[in-house]
Amino acid sequence: MLVQILNGLVYGGMLYVLSVGLVLIFGLRRVVNFAHGGLFMLGAYVGYAAYGIGGFWAAIVASIVVLGIFGIVLDRLVFRALQKQEPMVTVLVTFGLLMVLEDFVQSVWGKDLLTFTTPPSLSGTVAIGAVSFPVYRLVVIAAAVIVVGGLSAWLKLSRAGLYVRASSVDPVTTAMQGVDTEHLSALVVGVGAALAGLSGVIAAPLLALSPSMGSTILIESFIVVVTGGLGSFTGAFVAAMVIGQLHNLGVVFVPNIASMVPLILMVGVLIWRPAGLLGAKA
Amino acid sequence: MTLLQFEGVCSAYGSARVLHDVSLSVSKGERVAILGRNGVGKTTVVNTCLGLASMQSGRMAFLGRDVKAVRTFTAARSGLSVVPQGRRIVSNLTVRENLILGGAPQRKGRWSVDEVFRLFPILKERAETPGTAMSGGQQQMLAIGRALMSNPDLLILDEPSEGLAPVVVDELGETLVKLASGGMSILLIEQNFGLVHKVAERYYVLSKGSVVEEGKLAGLSMETLKKHVAV
């Protein structure tokens, strides 16, 4: 049972790092980014390429940097224009972008599953009570904790974080105070994409790499964001942790309906609170 | 020195033109009012300064420099600060954070969070509460304090008396007079004649997007002023 709870934390942590990027992008740009799964997948493949050259830590840095820059370019070329478009246009464009990213990765690395081995320094197990647990999985939990703490501190304690919080509620008033909200949005989309890249590379040793890996996790990521409440960082954290637990406990205790459990949770939460667990009421 | 100048400005939202050939000016240290009924284009004057309405023709200058491609964030950075209609306090920020937001342009000058707290002591008492959890009058103080935080050359207030009790409007007038006596240049956009009479030295009357009347307030009675606006 302890192992299942720890595995739930691993999955929840990975989901959070991915989903919080979606929350950031939606908060500033009001764009529901269906390409986010593609950024996760691209992060994993960029990490795979960098791993061969400089090892695991180089893979982490490369994914964050490459995806961060890619996010800024994406904001300038796509998201800024999408901000004033109908929601259906946003869905079609970002979904199309996801397919373009999948085709790009397939043309470079092929369709076959690739494996990303756990780095030797982080392999092995550690005893937790009566059970032994893989060190790497604890590292994933630690990475999620660092992202939660770092992001919270940035948003709460820094000037840029204050501008991000203000702009997510009222971009016009924020701009009236002298904040260049366009640059701020580009920065935030860059951070969101970098987090998607980070989640992709830390998930890589746990999953097989394939061009469609982003589409699969995208659904659960959206469930996290919607259940937590659109635009709520704390809501996304709570939802990711709950869904992480339900995902793993579901696989053990109700394997036949395990994949439906997060969806059932989301429907239940939305009936109870249409704005999500911690979302602002419209 | 002329701080803000409009010469034959025509402004629009998309294809809907609102301002027609508007000329006005505010000099350093002056207190100027723009009067007019609802929907005559008073707020569009502010929105033109902020780039929220597009200037189609004419000339706009700030601190003697022509302003062509206006972007909303550049106004505060160049010394023009706005207390918007409806106050627009950012709801997820505390009182202190709203003030820090106002200091985003980081222009040097007298105003800081502590200085705003000295002007409005109630804001210090409520510093850590959400800005929107205060009364209308307190929110107006916060909106003015936030605008002062950028140490502006010109403070524009768009209908600051809206929704406030008469006694609070009187206090607001005293505050604006106090700021003006400290050298602050003010452009007051108002429908409240009492507040305009108390604060402003000169006025413009807008009707259907055009300036139809202008003059000095000294020696002008409230009744005469109301007649001018009723044109």
Side-chain angles (χ1 to χ4, degrees), chain A residues 37-98:
Chain A
L39 301 179
F40 167 84
M41 177 268 301
L42 192 60
Y45 275 90
V46 167
Y48 175 82
Y51 188 92
I53 300 165
F56 182 70
W57 300 110
I60 296 268
V61 173
S63 276
I64 290 173
V65 171
V66 171
L67 269 290
I69 293 169
F70 185 65
I72 291 169
V73 173
L74 208 56
D75 181 74
R76 286 291 154 126
L77 300 181
V78 183
F79 292 168
R80 189 184 289 191
L82 283 179
Q83 208 174 9
K84 291 172 186 163
Q85 298 296 329
E86 295 291 320
M88 185 52 79
V89 176
T90 303
V91 170
L92 290 173
V93 171
T94 57
F95 199 72
L97 197 59
L98 171 65

Coordinates of all heavy atoms in Angstrom, one line a residue, chain A residues 37-98:
Chain A
G37 N 0.7 18.7 -24.7 CA 1.2 17.3 -24.7 C 2.4 17.1 -25.7 O 3.3 16.3 -25.4
G38 N 2.3 17.8 -26.8 CA 3.4 17.8 -27.8 C 4.7 18.4 -27.2 O 5.8 17.9 -27.5
L39 N 4.6 19.4 -26.3 CA 5.7 20.0 -25.7 C 6.4 19.0 -24.7 O 7.6 18.9 -24.6 CB 5.4 21.3 -25.0 CG 4.7 22.4 -25.9 CD1 4.4 23.6 -25.0 CD2 5.7 22.8 -27.0
F40 N 5.5 18.3 -24.0 CA 5.9 17.2 -23.1 C 6.7 16.2 -23.8 O 7.8 15.8 -23.4 CB 4.7 16.6 -22.4 CG 4.9 15.3 -21.7 CD1 5.3 15.4 -20.4 CD2 4.6 14.1 -22.3 CE1 5.5 14.2 -19.6 CE2 4.8 12.9 -21.6 CZ 5.2 13.0 -20.2
M41 N 6.2 15.7 -25.0 CA 6.8 14.7 -25.8 C 8.1 15.2 -26.4 O 9.2 14.5 -26.3 CB 5.8 14.3 -26.9 CG 6.3 13.3 -27.9 SD 7.0 14.1 -29.3 CE 5.7 15.1 -30.0
L42 N 8.1 16.5 -26.9 CA 9.3 17.1 -27.4 C 10.4 17.2 -26.4 O 11.6 16.9 -26.6 CB 9.0 18.4 -28.0 CG 10.1 19.1 -28.9 CD1 10.4 18.2 -30.1 CD2 9.6 20.5 -29.4
G43 N 10.0 17.5 -25.2 CA 10.9 17.6 -24.0 C 11.6 16.3 -23.8 O 12.8 16.2 -23.6
A44 N 10.8 15.2 -23.8 CA 11.4 13.9 -23.6 C 12.4 13.5 -24.7 O 13.5 13.0 -24.4 CB 10.3 12.9 -23.6
Y45 N 12.1 13.8 -26.0 CA 13.0 13.5 -27.1 C 14.2 14.4 -27.1 O 15.3 13.9 -27.4 CB 12.2 13.6 -28.4 CG 11.5 12.3 -28.8 CD1 10.2 12.2 -28.4 CD2 12.1 11.3 -29.5 CE1 9.5 11.0 -28.7 CE2 11.4 10.1 -29.8 CZ 10.1 10.0 -29.4 OH 9.4 8.8 -29.7
V46 N 14.1 15.7 -26.8 CA 15.2 16.6 -26.7 C 16.2 16.0 -25.6 O 17.4 16.0 -25.8 CB 14.8 18.0 -26.4 CG1 16.0 18.9 -26.0 CG2 14.1 18.6 -27.6
G47 N 15.6 15.6 -24.5 CA 16.3 15.1 -23.4 C 17.0 13.8 -23.8 O 18.2 13.6 -23.5
Y48 N 16.3 13.0 -24.6 CA 16.9 11.7 -25.1 C 18.2 12.0 -25.9 O 19.2 11.3 -25.8 CB 15.9 11.0 -25.9 CG 16.3 9.7 -26.6 CD1 16.4 8.5 -25.9 CD2 16.7 9.8 -27.9 CE1 16.9 7.4 -26.6 CE2 17.2 8.6 -28.6 CZ 17.2 7.4 -27.9 OH 17.7 6.3 -28.5
A49 N 18.0 13.0 -26.8 CA 19.2 13.4 -27.7 C 20.4 13.9 -26.8 O 21.5 13.6 -27.1 CB 18.7 14.4 -28.7
A50 N 20.0 14.8 -25.9 CA 21.1 15.4 -25.0 C 21.7 14.4 -24.1 O 22.9 14.5 -23.8 CB 20.5 16.6 -24.2
Y51 N 20.9 13.4 -23.7 CA 21.4 12.4 -22.7 C 22.6 11.6 -23.4 O 23.6 11.4 -22.7 CB 20.3 11.4 -22.4 CG 20.6 10.4 -21.4 CD1 20.3 10.6 -20.0 CD2 21.2 9.1 -21.7 CE1 20.6 9.7 -19.0 CE2 21.5 8.2 -20.7 CZ 21.2 8.5 -19.4 OH 21.4 7.6 -18.4
G52 N 22.5 11.4 -24.7 CA 23.6 10.7 -25.4 C 24.9 11.5 -25.5 O 26.0 10.9 -25.6
I53 N 24.7 12.8 -25.4 CA 25.9 13.7 -25.5 C 26.5 14.0 -24.2 O 27.7 13.9 -23.9 CB 25.5 15.0 -26.3 CG1 25.0 14.7 -27.7 CG2 26.7 15.9 -26.3 CD1 24.3 15.8 -28.3
G54 N 25.6 14.4 -23.2 CA 26.2 14.9 -22.0 C 25.7 14.3 -20.7 O 25.9 14.8 -19.6
G55 N 24.8 13.3 -20.8 CA 24.3 12.6 -19.6 C 23.0 13.2 -19.2 O 22.4 14.1 -19.8
F56 N 22.5 12.7 -18.0 CA 21.2 13.0 -17.5 C 21.0 14.5 -17.2 O 20.0 15.1 -17.6 CB 20.9 12.2 -16.3 CG 19.5 12.4 -15.7 CD1 18.4 11.9 -16.4 CD2 19.3 13.1 -14.6 CE1 17.1 12.1 -15.9 CE2 18.0 13.3 -14.1 CZ 16.9 12.8 -14.8
W57 N 21.9 15.1 -16.5 CA 21.7 16.5 -16.1 C 21.8 17.4 -17.4 O 21.0 18.4 -17.4 CB 22.8 16.9 -15.1 CG 22.7 16.1 -13.8 CD1 23.5 15.1 -13.4 CD2 21.5 16.1 -12.9 NE1 23.0 14.5 -12.3 CE2 21.8 15.1 -11.9 CE3 20.4 16.8 -12.8 CZ2 21.0 14.8 -10.9 CZ3 19.5 16.5 -11.8 CH2 19.8 15.5 -10.8
A58 N 22.6 17.0 -18.3 CA 22.6 17.8 -19.6 C 21.2 17.7 -20.3 O 20.7 18.6 -20.9 CB 23.7 17.3 -20.5
A59 N 20.6 16.5 -20.2 CA 19.3 16.3 -20.8 C 18.3 17.2 -20.1 O 17.4 17.8 -20.8 CB 18.9 14.8 -20.6
I60 N 18.3 17.3 -18.8 CA 17.4 18.2 -18.0 C 17.6 19.6 -18.5 O 16.6 20.3 -18.9 CB 17.7 18.1 -16.5 CG1 17.4 16.7 -16.0 CG2 16.9 19.2 -15.8 CD1 16.0 16.4 -15.4
V61 N 18.8 20.1 -18.5 CA 19.1 21.5 -18.9 C 18.6 21.7 -20.4 O 18.0 22.7 -20.7 CB 20.6 21.8 -18.7 CG1 20.9 23.2 -19.3 CG2 20.9 21.8 -17.2
A62 N 19.0 20.8 -21.2 CA 18.7 21.0 -22.7 C 17.2 21.1 -22.9 O 16.7 21.9 -23.6 CB 19.3 19.8 -23.5
S63 N 16.4 20.2 -22.2 CA 15.0 20.2 -22.4 C 14.4 21.5 -21.9 O 13.5 22.1 -22.6 CB 14.3 19.1 -21.6 OG 14.4 17.9 -22.3
I64 N 14.8 22.0 -20.7 CA 14.3 23.2 -20.2 C 14.6 24.4 -21.1 O 13.7 25.2 -21.5 CB 14.8 23.5 -18.8 CG1 14.3 22.5 -17.8 CG2 14.6 24.9 -18.3 CD1 14.9 22.5 -16.4
V65 N 15.9 24.5 -21.6 CA 16.3 25.6 -22.4 C 15.6 25.6 -23.8 O 15.0 26.6 -24.2 CB 17.8 25.6 -22.5 CG1 18.3 26.7 -23.6 CG2 18.5 25.9 -21.2
V66 N 15.7 24.4 -24.4 CA 15.1 24.3 -25.8 C 13.6 24.6 -25.8 O 13.1 25.3 -26.6 CB 15.4 22.9 -26.4 CG1 14.6 22.7 -27.7 CG2 16.9 22.8 -26.7
L67 N 12.9 23.9 -24.8 CA 11.4 24.1 -24.8 C 11.1 25.5 -24.3 O 10.1 26.1 -24.8 CB 10.8 23.1 -23.8 CG 10.4 21.7 -24.5 CD1 9.2 22.0 -25.4 CD2 11.5 21.1 -25.3
G68 N 11.9 26.1 -23.4 CA 11.6 27.5 -23.0 C 11.7 28.5 -24.2 O 10.8 29.3 -24.4
I69 N 12.7 28.3 -25.0 CA 12.9 29.2 -26.2 C 11.8 28.9 -27.2 O 11.1 29.8 -27.7 CB 14.3 29.0 -26.8 CG1 15.4 29.5 -25.9 CG2 14.4 29.7 -28.2 CD1 16.8 29.1 -26.2
F70 N 11.5 27.6 -27.3 CA 10.4 27.2 -28.3 C 9.1 27.8 -27.8 O 8.3 28.3 -28.6 CB 10.3 25.7 -28.3 CG 9.3 25.2 -29.3 CD1 9.5 25.4 -30.7 CD2 8.1 24.5 -28.9 CE1 8.6 24.9 -31.6 CE2 7.2 24.1 -29.9 CZ 7.4 24.3 -31.2
G71 N 8.8 27.9 -26.5 CA 7.6 28.5 -26.0 C 7.5 29.9 -26.3 O 6.4 30.4 -26.6
I72 N 8.6 30.7 -26.1 CA 8.6 32.1 -26.4 C 8.3 32.3 -27.9 O 7.5 33.2 -28.3 CB 10.0 32.7 -26.0 CG1 10.1 32.7 -24.5 CG2 10.1 34.2 -26.5 CD1 11.5 33.1 -24.0
V73 N 8.9 31.5 -28.8 CA 8.7 31.7 -30.2 C 7.2 31.3 -30.5 O 6.5 32.1 -31.3 CB 9.6 30.7 -31.0 CG1 9.2 30.7 -32.5 CG2 11.1 31.1 -30.8
L74 N 6.7 30.3 -29.9 CA 5.3 29.9 -30.0 C 4.4 31.0 -29.6 O 3.3 31.3 -30.3 CB 5.0 28.7 -29.1 CG 4.0 27.7 -29.5 CD1 4.2 27.1 -30.9 CD2 4.0 26.5 -28.5
D75 N 4.7 31.7 -28.5 CA 3.9 32.8 -28.0 C 3.8 33.9 -29.1 O 2.8 34.4 -29.4 CB 4.4 33.3 -26.7 CG 3.6 34.4 -26.2 OD1 2.5 34.1 -25.7 OD2 4.0 35.6 -26.3
R76 N 5.0 34.3 -29.6 CA 5.1 35.4 -30.5 C 4.3 35.0 -31.8 O 3.6 35.9 -32.4 CB 6.6 35.7 -30.9 CG 7.3 36.4 -29.8 CD 6.7 37.8 -29.7 NE 6.9 38.3 -28.3 CZ 7.5 39.4 -28.1 NH1 8.0 40.2 -29.0 NH2 7.6 39.9 -26.8
L77 N 4.5 33.8 -32.3 CA 4.0 33.5 -33.6 C 2.6 33.0 -33.6 O 1.8 33.1 -34.6 CB 4.9 32.5 -34.3 CG 6.4 32.9 -34.6 CD1 7.1 31.8 -35.3 CD2 6.4 34.2 -35.4
V78 N 2.2 32.3 -32.5 CA 0.9 31.6 -32.5 C -0.1 32.1 -31.4 O -1.2 32.6 -31.7 CB 1.1 30.1 -32.4 CG1 -0.3 29.4 -32.4 CG2 2.0 29.5 -33.4
F79 N 0.4 32.1 -30.2 CA -0.6 32.3 -29.1 C -1.0 33.8 -29.0 O -2.2 34.1 -28.7 CB 0.1 32.0 -27.7 CG 0.3 30.5 -27.5 CD1 1.1 30.0 -26.5 CD2 -0.3 29.6 -28.4 CE1 1.2 28.6 -26.3 CE2 -0.2 28.2 -28.2 CZ 0.6 27.7 -27.2
R80 N -0.1 34.7 -29.4 CA -0.5 36.1 -29.3 C -1.7 36.4 -30.3 O -2.7 37.1 -30.0 CB 0.7 37.0 -29.7 CG 0.4 38.5 -29.5 CD 1.5 39.4 -29.9 NE 2.7 39.3 -29.0 CZ 3.7 40.1 -29.1 NH1 3.7 41.1 -30.0 NH2 4.7 40.0 -28.3
A81 N -1.6 35.7 -31.5 CA -2.6 35.9 -32.5 C -3.9 35.2 -32.1 O -5.0 35.6 -32.4 CB -2.1 35.4 -33.8
L82 N -3.7 34.1 -31.4 CA -4.9 33.3 -31.0 C -5.7 33.9 -29.9 O -6.9 33.6 -29.7 CB -4.5 31.9 -30.5 CG -4.1 30.9 -31.5 CD1 -3.6 29.6 -30.8 CD2 -5.2 30.6 -32.5
Q83 N -5.1 34.8 -29.1 CA -5.8 35.4 -28.0 C -7.1 36.1 -28.3 O -8.0 36.1 -27.5 CB -4.8 36.5 -27.4 CG -5.0 36.7 -25.9 CD -3.9 37.7 -25.4 OE1 -3.2 38.3 -26.1 NE2 -3.9 37.8 -24.1
K84 N -7.2 36.6 -29.6 CA -8.4 37.4 -29.9 C -9.3 36.5 -30.8 O -10.3 37.0 -31.3 CB -8.0 38.6 -30.7 CG -7.3 39.7 -29.8 CD -6.8 40.8 -30.6 CE -6.0 41.7 -29.7 NZ -5.1 42.6 -30.4
Q85 N -9.0 35.2 -30.9 CA -9.8 34.3 -31.8 C -10.8 33.6 -30.9 O -10.8 33.5 -29.7 CB -8.9 33.3 -32.5 CG -7.9 34.0 -33.4 CD -8.5 34.7 -34.6 OE1 -9.6 34.3 -35.0 NE2 -7.9 35.8 -35.0
E86 N -11.8 33.0 -31.7 CA -12.8 32.2 -31.0 C -12.2 31.0 -30.4 O -11.2 30.5 -31.0 CB -13.9 31.8 -32.1 CG -14.7 32.9 -32.7 CD -15.6 33.5 -31.7 OE1 -16.2 32.7 -31.0 OE2 -15.7 34.7 -31.7
P87 N -12.8 30.4 -29.4 CA -12.2 29.2 -28.7 C -12.0 28.1 -29.7 O -11.0 27.3 -29.6 CB -13.2 28.8 -27.7 CG -13.9 30.1 -27.3 CD -13.9 30.9 -28.6
M88 N -12.9 27.9 -30.7 CA -12.8 26.8 -31.6 C -11.6 26.9 -32.5 O -10.9 25.9 -32.8 CB -14.1 26.7 -32.5 CG -14.1 25.5 -33.4 SD -13.8 23.9 -32.6 CE -15.4 23.6 -31.9
V89 N -11.2 28.2 -32.8 CA -10.0 28.4 -33.6 C -8.8 28.0 -32.8 O -7.9 27.3 -33.3 CB -9.9 29.9 -34.0 CG1 -8.6 30.2 -34.8 CG2 -11.1 30.3 -34.9
T90 N -8.8 28.3 -31.5 CA -7.7 28.0 -30.6 C -7.5 26.5 -30.6 O -6.4 25.9 -30.7 CB -8.0 28.5 -29.2 OG1 -8.2 29.9 -29.3 CG2 -6.9 28.2 -28.3
V91 N -8.7 25.8 -30.4 CA -8.6 24.3 -30.3 C -8.0 23.7 -31.6 O -7.1 22.9 -31.6 CB -10.0 23.7 -30.1 CG1 -10.1 22.2 -30.2 CG2 -10.5 24.1 -28.7
L92 N -8.5 24.2 -32.8 CA -8.1 23.6 -34.0 C -6.6 23.9 -34.3 O -5.8 23.0 -34.7 CB -8.9 24.2 -35.2 CG -10.4 23.7 -35.2 CD1 -11.1 24.5 -36.3 CD2 -10.4 22.2 -35.5
V93 N -6.1 25.1 -34.0 CA -4.7 25.5 -34.2 C -3.8 24.7 -33.3 O -2.8 24.2 -33.7 CB -4.5 27.0 -34.1 CG1 -3.1 27.4 -34.1 CG2 -5.3 27.8 -35.2
T94 N -4.1 24.7 -32.0 CA -3.2 24.1 -31.1 C -3.2 22.5 -31.2 O -2.2 21.9 -31.1 CB -3.5 24.4 -29.6 OG1 -4.9 24.1 -29.3 CG2 -3.3 25.9 -29.3
F95 N -4.4 22.0 -31.6 CA -4.4 20.6 -31.9 C -3.6 20.2 -33.2 O -2.9 19.2 -33.2 CB -5.9 20.1 -32.0 CG -6.1 18.6 -31.9 CD1 -6.0 18.0 -30.6 CD2 -6.3 17.8 -33.0 CE1 -6.1 16.7 -30.5 CE2 -6.5 16.4 -32.8 CZ -6.4 15.9 -31.6
G96 N -3.7 21.1 -34.1 CA -2.9 20.9 -35.4 C -1.4 21.0 -35.0 O -0.6 20.2 -35.6
L97 N -1.1 21.9 -34.1 CA 0.3 22.0 -33.7 C 0.8 20.8 -33.1 O 2.0 20.3 -33.3 CB 0.4 23.2 -32.7 CG 1.8 23.8 -32.5 CD1 2.4 24.3 -33.7 CD2 1.6 24.9 -31.5
L98 N -0.1 20.1 -32.3 CA 0.3 18.9 -31.6 C 0.7 17.8 -32.7 O 1.7 17.1 -32.6 CB -0.9 18.4 -30.7 CG -0.8 17.0 -30.2 CD1 0.4 16.9 -29.2 CD2 -2.1 16.6 -29.5

